[in-house]
């Protein structure tokens, strides 16, 4: 199984282990001229009677030779998905899911932190082996 | 010569043919943890005595199999370069240079136009064969 496929299944299980219901795998954004596929969508009612929280999740491995190259691509993809989600499904919050080791090694770089902050990227940090959500960063 | 290298030389000549002085090839943005290389920087004094206009230019071929994939990468790269240029060289305006055929075929898609507009991407459209600037879109 590719690392991309492994992470897909591990993030899905991590969400389910945390009480989320995966509602779309993938979540399709249909525009007049193009379709985008966000890896997963899930929902969870935090407390009985309260509003249901809906998320869309794009999973990134960052396993290639150049972290920066992959980060540029991930940022562009995140902002495009976010723009059309905001237009069409404004209640659904977009997260970029990344493994805890990638978060600690690469997302701690000052330049990357500055971009994540300026672009208001929301992150879901997970542990692949334990299939566990570590934290949501918004 | 690769198409990337050919375009690099053609954009450079198109700028010079239009009276621009190419000042950096490439233009380096040095941060504490990383360096970014923008393809070209150029300047031109529009009228005698007036302020000199300074630009940085990232050239994109869009010659691969998936336009969307390359557009996602180009958008991320554009916004990262723009963030650090705004911080460090606020007088320098960033443009994404694309050939006129790519502009007409792919940047006319409604979803791409919507992203270019929302993200305030500035474009330099050039004709590679004639080494000519067609228009600046800001």
């Amino acid at each position: 199984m590719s690392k991309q496929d492994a992470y897909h299944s591990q993030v899905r299980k991590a969400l389910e282990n945390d009480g989320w219901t995966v509602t779309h795998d993938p979540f399709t954004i249909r525009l007049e001229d193009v379709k985008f596929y966000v890896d997963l969508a899930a929902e969870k009612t935090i407390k009985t009677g309260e509003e249901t929280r809906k998320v869309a999740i794009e999973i990134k491995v960052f396993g290639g030779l150049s972290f920066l190259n992959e980060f540029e691509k991930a940022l562009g993809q995140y902002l495009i998905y976010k723009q059309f989600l905001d237009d069409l499904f404004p209640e659904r919050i977009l997260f970029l899911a990344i493994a805890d080791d990638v978060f600690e090694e690469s997302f701690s770089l000052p330049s990357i932190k500055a971009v994540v902050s300026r672009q208001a990227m929301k992150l879901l940090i997970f542990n692949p082996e334990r299939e566990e959500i570590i934290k949501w960063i918004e």
Side-chain angles (χ1 to χ4, degrees), chain A:
Chain A
M1 199 193 296
S2 74
K3 204 164 182 183
Q4 181 66 55
D5 291 338
Y7 274 15
H8 190 102
S9 132
Q10 286 155 350
V11 171
R12 191 183 162 121
K13 284 190 193 141
L15 287 165
E16 289 167 346
N17 290 342
D18 196 47
W20 289 80
T21 303
V22 173
T23 52
H24 305 74
D25 182 355
F27 182 82
T28 308
I29 306 173
R30 274 172 232 278
L31 304 174
E32 71 180 281
D33 54 339
V34 71
K35 284 184 208 166
F36 294 103
Y37 300 95
V38 190
D39 285 322
L40 292 171
E43 59 183 55
K44 185 181 186 179
T45 303
I46 307 298
K47 286 184 192 167
T48 315
E50 274 191 11
E51 185 176 17
T52 300
R53 184 165 163 83
K54 292 183 180 181
V55 296
I57 294 167
E58 181 65 18
I59 303 160
K60 286 290 162 204
V61 172
F62 292 107
L65 287 178
S66 163
F67 171 78
L68 268 185
N69 245 311
E70 291 181 86
F71 179 71
E72 288 167 355
K73 170 86 163 67
L75 172 61
Q77 201 176 9
Y78 181 89
L79 292 173
I80 292 170
Y81 290 179
K82 182 171 186 310
Q83 170 168 342
F84 294 118
L85 281 174
D86 285 351
D87 288 350
L88 300 172
F89 309 96
E91 80 288 3
R92 196 170 288 281
I93 312 296
L94 179 64
F95 286 84
L96 195 73
I98 54 178
D100 48 2
D101 58 342
V102 172
F103 177 69
E104 278 155 31
E105 277 163 41
S106 301
F107 280 70
S108 58
L109 294 168
S111 57
I112 302 300
K113 284 172 79 168
V115 173
V116 167
S117 164
R118 187 82 58 94
Q119 298 295 341
M121 294 176 86
K122 297 181 198 295
L123 305 177
L124 165 58
I125 316 303
F126 66 97
N127 180 283
E129 294 75 27
R130 297 202 304 272
E131 299 180 342
E132 191 180 282
I133 290 172
I134 306 294
K135 57 183 165 183
W136 301 83
I137 303 178
E138 333 196 12

